[in-house]
Amino acid sequence: MSRDKKTDKTLVYYVVGGAVAGAIAGYIVKKVGFKNIMNVLKSKKIIPENIAETISEFTSRHEDEETDDDLL
């Protein structure tokens, strides 16, 4: 295999590291709960209130759509 086509190891490390970080974050969100995390972020002023409200609005719409689908 020529050097031009050889994949750089750092790129592979970034991809694998990102996948591991995403898996850990997903696990934490599942265990702790999205609403609890949002409440902490709002109370500590890590994210602005208007952005938190927008995120909550989108997640509540998604939950409403899931319950509507379950009724059918």
Side-chain angles (χ1 to χ4, degrees):
M1 184 180 264
S2 70
R3 281 195 161 279
D4 295 335
K5 294 184 180 180
K6 191 172 184 180
T7 305
D8 191 16
K9 286 184 180 181
T10 56
L11 177 65
V12 174
Y13 292 148
Y14 282 128
V15 171
V16 171
V20 169
I24 292 170
Y27 177 78
I28 291 170
V29 168
K30 186 170 180 144
K31 287 295 183 184
V32 174
F34 182 74
K35 290 182 181 180
N36 292 335
I37 293 172
M38 286 299 296
N39 289 336
V40 169
L41 293 176
K42 284 193 278 187
S43 68
K44 300 282 184 179
K45 305 277 188 210
I46 294 174
I47 58 174
E49 186 71 28
N50 58 352
I51 293 175
E53 290 174 4
T54 304
I55 292 171
S56 297
E57 180 181 330
F58 280 112
T59 56
S60 67
R61 281 188 196 166
H62 182 69
E63 290 171 357
D64 292 341
E65 290 174 1
E66 285 180 359
T67 57
D68 290 342
D69 291 340
D70 292 340
L71 295 175
L72 296 176

